[in-house]
Amino acid sequence: HSINDMNLSARYTSAPDIALNCFEFMSIDQIGDKLDYPEYATTTWFKTVDIRPAMIEHMTTTAPQLFQSKYKSSPELASKLVSNYEEAMYDTHLFKIEHATPRYGLIRMLDRSNAANYTSGFKYYGKIEIVVQK
């Protein structure tokens, strides 16, 4: 959803859980000043973790409960914002979405290419993987 979409109604504001900015992942409540219905914005918490791709596959296909247990057992402090600049490009971030029943998942940058500042504005292309616990 775009900011314009989220401003159509409270229902549209409450639908998205993560805002993707050029080099940042953030909780929707972090952009509340741009929303007409900020009280409906969801809160998402991120923790940077070290997880191998094989574990991600296992969590996704066989053991979805590990999203929650790994998030809760991580000693990292939770944050509503993850800057994903060059030095943190391939980090994996577990997240917790604050709904009536919390949802867990992970997000990571897989590829970043063609980032450049053009006269018409900054252009960015890349691949992001998002996996949400079933």
Side-chain angles (χ1 to χ4, degrees):
H1 288 39
S2 69
I3 297 282
N4 290 336
D5 292 338
M6 288 190 282
N7 284 330
L8 292 174
S9 72
R11 189 182 104 212
Y12 284 114
T13 300
S14 67
D17 297 313
I18 298 172
L20 304 174
N21 195 2
C22 261
F23 298 111
E24 298 174 325
F25 309 134
M26 69 183 76
S27 179
I28 296 297
D29 66 352
Q30 293 295 103
I31 58 169
D33 61 328
K34 296 177 176 70
L35 301 174
D36 292 342
Y37 306 93
E39 65 275 15
Y40 292 94
T42 56
T43 299
T44 302
W45 295 96
F46 301 93
K47 289 184 176 186
T48 303
V49 294
D50 185 22
I51 298 178
R52 295 183 330 270
M55 177 55 81
I56 294 171
E57 182 178 350
H58 175 68
M59 292 165 65
T60 304
T61 60
T62 309
Q65 72 280 3
L66 289 176
F67 286 104
Q68 180 177 351
S69 65
K70 287 198 173 291
Y71 179 91
K72 287 184 172 184
S73 67
S74 170
E76 291 289 322
L77 291 175
S79 173
K80 292 183 180 183
L81 171 71
V82 174
S83 288
N84 217 7
Y85 289 97
E86 207 60 45
E87 65 275 5
M89 183 174 148
Y90 295 105
D91 286 349
T92 299
H93 313 282
L94 288 175
F95 60 80
K96 175 185 178 183
I97 304 165
E98 298 282 353
H99 288 294
T101 302
R103 297 186 67 196
Y104 296 85
L106 69 81
I107 186 167
R108 67 184 180 142
M109 181 76 66
L110 296 177
D111 180 44
R112 178 183 309 182
S113 57
N114 299 323
N117 209 352
Y118 297 96
T119 55
S120 61
F122 190 79
K123 304 283 186 200
Y124 165 76
Y125 303 95
K127 294 179 193 172
I128 297 170
E129 176 182 41
I130 302 174
V131 180
V132 179
Q133 176 186 32
K134 289 183 182 183

